[in-house]
Amino acid sequence: MNSPVPAANTAWIAAGVQHAVLTRTLLVTAWELARPFLSMRGIALAELPPESAAWPEQPTRAQPLLYLLLASMYHFAEGASHTPASIHAELMDGSIRIVSEGVVAEGNAPHLLHNDGPTGTPVIDAASLRFLADHLHIPLRLKDDASVVIPLP
C-alpha cells in the first residue's frame, strides 16, 4: 500500500495559495489524491516517470495544473466511452500526457459506484474537460478518449 501524500507536498493546498510548485511534486500529489477514487473503480495508476526523467525545472502554477490532472483522470474513470484498466503519465516536450489503457475487467468496478443517477456527481465528459481548460486558459488536447495532453507553462 502506498503511503499518504507527505505533508510537505500538500502544504500549498492547505494554504489555498496559487504559488508555483515543481511539476513532479504536483503530479505526485495528483496521483495520490486520485488513487482511492480510481482504485474503487478497478483502475490502476502506473508508476510515474522516475525523478531522473527530464522533468521541467521551472515551477508551474499549482491549481490550474492540479485541476486539469484530476479532471482528466476523473474523465477517464467515468466520462470516457469506456473505463480503462490503467492510467499513466508521460513527459513530452513541454507537456504532460495522461493516458488511459485497456478496459477494466467486467465486475472489477462495483456497479453502485458509477454515477448515472440524479444524486451522483456529474461525469466530466470531453466537452466539460475542454470547458475547464478554456476557463483556465490552458490549450488542452484530448485525443479519442484515450489521452489528454496538458502543456506546461
Side-chain angles (χ1 to χ4, degrees):
M1 176 173 222
N2 291 324
S3 62
V5 179
N9 285 348
T10 58
W12 57 270
I13 295 173
V17 295
Q18 188 167 325
H19 73 281
V21 297
L22 293 177
T23 301
R24 187 171 200 291
T25 300
L26 188 63
L27 195 54
V28 166
T29 300
W31 236 234
E32 292 307 317
L33 288 171
R35 189 176 305 281
F37 169 82
L38 296 173
S39 67
M40 288 191 316
R41 283 147 180 82
I43 303 170
L45 274 175
E47 293 297 316
L48 292 173
E51 286 189 49
S52 60
W55 290 95
E57 292 184 22
Q58 77 277 10
T60 188
R61 292 180 320 147
Q63 275 104 350
L65 183 55
L66 182 63
Y67 294 155
L68 282 178
L69 289 169
L70 292 172
S72 297
M73 289 186 273
Y74 185 79
H75 166 69
F76 290 141
E78 295 194 341
S81 59
H82 66 279
T83 303
S86 66
I87 296 175
H88 73 271
E90 299 173 354
L91 292 174
M92 298 174 57
D93 188 31
S95 300
I96 296 174
R97 181 175 179 226
I98 306 298
V99 181
S100 70
E101 292 184 320
V103 177
V104 74
E106 184 79 23
N108 248 16
H111 178 69
L112 296 175
L113 292 175
H114 293 285
N115 295 323
D116 50 2
T119 59
T121 304
V123 297
I124 297 178
D125 59 9
S128 300
L129 191 56
R130 285 187 183 102
F131 182 83
L132 175 62
D134 288 346
H135 177 75
L136 296 171
H137 306 289
I138 297 175
L140 171 125
R141 291 181 311 229
L142 180 63
K143 298 182 179 182
D144 301 327
D145 271 350
S147 73
V148 174
V149 177
I150 305 169
L152 298 171

